[in-house]
Amino acid sequence: MLVWLKNRSVFSILLCLLIIAATYIFIVAASKQPTHLLLKRLAVPVTQVALETDTDATRQITLPASLSPLPPGSQVVVHASLTVGKAQSLLVKTVFSQLKVYINGVQSADIGQTGTYLEMMNDPPTLLSIIDLPQEGGTVELRMEYVSPTQRSTLSLPRLYAGDRLSIFARFFVAEGFSFLFSTLLLIIGVFMTLFSLPIVGRTSSGKAFFWLGLFALSSGAWGFGECDLTAFIIPYPTLLYHMTYLGLFFMTFSFLRFGLLVLEPHTRWPLLAMLYIHAFTILTAILLQITGKVDFIRSLYWFHIIVPVGFLLFAGVVLWEHFHHHNVAAHRFAPAILLLSIAVVIEVLNYWFRFISYFTLFFQLGVLAFVIALGVAISRLIQESFKANADHAILTMEMKQANQLLLLYKRQYESITHNDLEVRRQRHDLRHQLTVIRDLNRHAETEKLHRYIDGLIEAIPGNPELQLCENTAINAVASHYVFMARNVGIITDVLFQIPADTGVMQEIDLCIIIGNLLENAVEACIRASMETRKIKLHATMKNDHLRITCENSYPGVNMASNGKLMSSKHSGEGVGIRSVQAVVEKYGGITRFEAGDDLFLSLVFVRMNASQI
């Protein structure tokens, strides 16, 4: 546990590698023995077909195939003869093309025709359709008439699958199950991160970074989710999936770069800013071209095939530059996530050449997942540190407030002493004249005038409104201030201070912070309580160089406990005054205890003031 706490980045790397290994084992097992894991019978692929075009003679091809270059709107006919069982179906897939399917000479499907998709789209989206075959089975003659898309010069001819609906689904689950689950998981992670960050977006830069990281995961998940054939099989909304696919891909790098700028805070910002503006302009242009029907997303994709990898490579370069040249702490934290993504890319390239498994992009997808998890751990730590920094700042602000207040009280006390001293000097100067008057009145036995004159002199003697609560001048000034404040609003006070003038190793300002916060919180709590119950009892006593402070005060009875912490009644979050008291007491190795009852709040502070014991 201690190793994990000290090395969370290492732990996140190991966790992600374990996820990759476990998923790899599952995929290999599922692909090699699907009969044990899923169903004993899968849909049969139709791969051998005859191809007929306007320019070429009929020839045999193997599906899947791509025909290029083709002029827009070219007609391509595919013939196939297959033997099927009873009550079976045929799964066909089109890629931005129109298709008419004839079974035994009878038209059975008209797929992707104009009017079945949005008018702003020049070509239909990718479509999956299940066509029922003759119930009696036997030999079936297929004729499939494709019309090539207008936005690309290539016509894709995917495989056909024949079988019952359950076996078709099983085939797609074996082939696309991981991509579907991976994309779904990324979507969930993205939604969670985005929603989690919304309450803290405006409070810390880490919250904004977490928001953009969530959008990156959400965009990556949307891209994979819309691209997955299993998704199209389960969710029959091709236009929705079309927009999810391309908008997810388009926004993925943009959100990633925005996230990187916030977290890295690089010394050289212009490379990332330039790429960010390029992406923003490109995304806006692609959306406007699609809305106006000028250029479909599929055509804009060719440009994104360039700038998306360039954006990731640029970000990796900036991270390495910041880490080695500027010793950027944030770049150092990025290292585990970048390492995971880099390893995944290298393994993916090796898999392309050596075919470790038959599923391409598997390791890249796992690398992205591990990347998001590792970054999530890093950003969570940043958020925690940010909140801690904010809490420390609040405590520092409170301490500065207490110090300024103490200086103000000292100033008022000095002004009071100065004023009284001047008054005493004036009266001393007048004393000789006053004694002369008293002597004359006494000599003439004018008793009544003498009494009135002496009473006037007594009334003219200045009083000292300051309370003398303890020997320590600083504590006395702070305590007197709040005791006067309490009594002015009708709060019954019972205070006892046995604090010596010499506070030992404890600085007077720290002791003033403790006393001041306890009394300030007590006064504010009493003001919110009913008039007849307002009371404060604070005793600070010394025993064997240990200071024990107990404070009981009236309390409005509002529950302020949350996760073991006492929350402020004046603002959201933990009470700053209480946290400030705890910080000072912890500094000297003491203990604190706070309890909130129905109508009484109890504060207990126990701190050692002897230098030899600290």
Side-chain angles (χ1 to χ4, degrees):
M1 179 63 71
L2 292 177
V3 174
W4 176 76
L5 290 174
K6 295 179 181 179
N7 303 281
R8 292 188 184 180
S9 298
V10 176
F11 174 79
S12 64
I13 293 176
L14 294 177
L15 177 62
C16 295
L17 291 177
L18 286 174
I19 293 174
I20 293 175
T23 309
Y24 168 76
I25 294 172
F26 172 79
I27 292 297
V28 171
S31 62
K32 289 185 177 180
Q33 297 188 14
T35 55
H36 291 183
L37 294 175
L38 298 172
L39 297 172
K40 294 182 178 180
R41 182 164 53 88
L42 299 178
V44 178
V46 179
T47 57
Q48 299 300 319
V49 298
L51 178 66
E52 176 186 342
T53 65
D54 296 336
T55 58
D56 296 334
T58 302
R59 57 190 173 92
Q60 295 292 320
I61 64 169
T62 300
L63 300 180
S66 296
L67 305 179
S68 65
L70 284 179
S74 299
Q75 186 173 22
V76 175
V77 180
V78 171
H79 299 274
S81 179
L82 59 150
T83 302
V84 297
K86 295 181 178 180
Q88 290 195 346
S89 302
L90 180 70
L91 178 77
V92 296
K93 176 183 177 181
T94 60
V95 183
F96 310 112
S97 60
Q98 300 177 13
L99 171 64
K100 292 182 180 180
V101 180
Y102 296 85
I103 299 177
N104 294 332
V106 179
Q107 182 174 334
S108 300
D110 192 356
I111 302 170
Q113 301 303 314
T114 303
T116 60
Y117 51 90
L118 296 178
E119 292 183 2
M120 67 179 181
M121 299 171 61
N122 294 284
D123 294 319
T126 297
L127 297 168
L128 268 73
S129 299
I130 297 179
I131 304 170
D132 292 331
L133 297 174
Q135 288 290 320
E136 64 276 8
T139 301
V140 175
E141 297 295 332
L142 291 179
R143 176 183 172 88
M144 308 179 68
E145 298 179 353
Y146 290 90
V147 177
S148 63
T150 63
Q151 297 293 295
R152 57 188 304 193
S153 60
T154 300
L155 173 64
S156 297
L157 300 177
R159 284 193 182 98
L160 309 174
Y161 290 95
D164 59 68
R165 291 176 179 265
L166 190 58
S167 65
I168 292 174
F169 175 80
R171 169 67 67 177
F172 273 87
F173 187 81
V174 170
E176 305 280 351
F178 172 76
S179 294
F180 177 80
L181 295 176
F182 166 79
S183 302
T184 303
L185 180 59
L186 268 184
L187 282 173
I188 294 173
I189 291 175
V191 170
F192 171 77
M193 285 184 173
T194 304
L195 294 179
F196 173 77
S197 64
L198 287 179
I200 57 176
V201 162
R203 296 167 58 185
T204 65
S205 60
S206 299
K208 295 178 182 178
F210 210 72
F211 173 79
W212 286 107
L213 179 60
L215 286 185
F216 167 70
L218 192 61
S219 300
S220 302
W223 172 40
F225 193 79
E227 189 72 29
C228 180
D229 285 341
L230 182 59
T231 306
F233 189 87
I234 297 174
I235 303 176
Y237 297 100
T239 302
L240 171 64
L241 298 179
Y242 169 85
H243 287 90
M244 285 184 65
T245 300
Y246 292 103
L247 291 178
L249 177 61
F250 294 170
F251 280 99
M252 182 176 64
T253 311
F254 178 84
S255 55
F256 182 77
L257 292 173
R258 191 72 184 88
F259 160 78
L261 272 173
L262 285 170
V263 174
L264 278 183
E265 296 183 353
H267 294 76
T268 306
R269 295 170 54 89
W270 68 264
L272 291 181
L273 283 175
M275 182 56 66
L276 193 65
Y277 289 135
I278 291 173
H279 268 274
F281 176 77
T282 303
I283 292 171
L284 180 61
T285 302
I287 292 175
L288 290 177
L289 289 175
Q290 177 68 84
I291 291 176
T292 58
K294 302 295 184 182
V295 178
D296 284 358
F297 284 147
I298 181 59
R299 202 167 182 179
S300 303
L301 183 63
Y302 296 115
W303 171 243
F304 281 94
H305 278 163
I306 299 174
I307 65 170
V308 166
V310 168
F312 277 97
L313 291 175
L314 177 65
F315 177 76
V318 171
V319 170
L320 294 176
W321 175 260
E322 289 290 322
H323 174 62
F324 291 107
H325 190 265
H326 296 290
H327 304 289
N328 190 318
V329 176
H332 174 72
R333 285 176 173 167
F334 263 101
I338 293 293
L339 177 63
L340 286 171
L341 192 57
S342 301
I343 291 174
V345 171
V346 172
I347 295 177
E348 187 60 54
V349 173
L350 293 176
N351 182 56
Y352 178 80
W353 290 103
F354 298 104
R355 299 288 184 94
F356 302 133
I357 60 174
S358 59
Y359 297 97
F360 294 131
T361 73
L362 168 64
F363 291 106
F364 176 74
Q365 291 175 335
L366 287 172
V368 172
L369 178 60
F371 178 74
V372 171
I373 293 175
L375 285 184
V377 173
I379 295 301
S380 297
R381 294 177 61 188
L382 284 176
I383 291 177
Q384 292 176 0
E385 293 173 2
S386 178
F387 276 120
K388 184 178 182 301
N390 289 341
D392 293 341
H393 177 73
I395 292 174
L396 180 61
T397 302
M398 177 65 72
E399 291 178 352
M400 291 296 297
K401 175 186 174 183
Q402 294 285 349
N404 292 333
Q405 190 175 51
L406 181 60
L407 289 175
L408 179 62
L409 293 175
Y410 270 136
K411 180 181 178 181
R412 291 176 180 176
Q413 187 178 39
Y414 176 77
E415 291 174 350
S416 176
I417 293 174
T418 302
H419 175 75
N420 290 341
D421 182 65
L422 291 175
E423 187 67 22
V424 168
R425 288 183 183 182
R426 185 186 63 79
Q427 291 195 8
R428 183 183 300 167
H429 177 269
D430 296 338
L431 181 60
R432 182 172 51 182
H433 304 291
Q434 294 166 351
L435 291 176
T436 301
V437 173
I438 292 173
R439 184 190 61 188
D440 292 341
L441 291 175
N442 182 60
R443 180 184 300 170
H444 294 89
E446 297 183 23
T447 307
E448 185 176 351
K449 289 184 178 182
L450 177 63
H451 289 169
R452 285 199 304 270
Y453 187 76
I454 293 176
D455 289 340
L457 291 177
I458 293 175
E459 292 179 359
I461 296 176
N464 185 10
E466 182 180 355
L467 295 175
Q468 192 63 35
L469 300 176
C470 67
E471 299 177 7
N472 187 282
T473 305
I475 302 301
N476 190 77
V478 173
S480 299
H481 171 73
Y482 287 108
V483 169
F484 274 123
M485 182 186 299
R487 291 176 179 176
N488 287 338
V489 294
I491 301 174
I492 299 175
T493 60
D494 177 7
V495 293
L496 173 63
F497 289 91
Q498 296 178 350
I499 300 177
D502 183 7
T503 59
V505 296
M506 176 173 280
Q507 298 181 13
E508 285 187 346
I509 183 63
D510 290 334
L511 199 52
C512 288
I513 289 173
I514 295 174
I515 299 296
N517 277 296
L518 291 179
L519 283 173
E520 182 180 13
N521 289 344
V523 171
E524 291 177 350
C526 286
I527 291 175
R528 295 193 304 273
S530 58
M531 180 64 71
E532 60 273 9
T533 62
R534 293 180 179 179
K535 62 179 180 179
I536 296 175
K537 179 181 179 181
L538 189 148
H539 287 186
T541 58
M542 294 287 300
K543 185 176 182 181
N544 298 329
D545 296 322
H546 287 69
L547 175 63
R548 184 177 188 272
I549 303 174
T550 59
C551 181
E552 297 179 4
N553 59 269
S554 302
Y555 182 65
V558 180
N559 183 16
M560 297 196 306
S562 177
N563 296 326
K565 299 179 180 180
L566 290 172
M567 311 307 289
S568 173
S569 60
K570 296 175 286 184
H571 57 80
S572 60
E574 187 180 3
V576 177
I578 290 178
R579 186 68 190 95
S580 181
V581 171
Q582 290 173 332
V584 172
V585 174
E586 290 171 1
K587 175 181 175 181
Y588 294 96
I591 59 174
T592 57
R593 180 182 173 187
F594 301 94
E595 294 182 359
D598 293 336
D599 55 4
L600 193 67
F601 190 90
L602 172 65
S603 305
L604 173 63
V605 174
F606 188 78
V607 61
R608 293 169 292 183
M609 299 178 64
N610 190 324
S612 63
Q613 300 181 30
I614 296 180

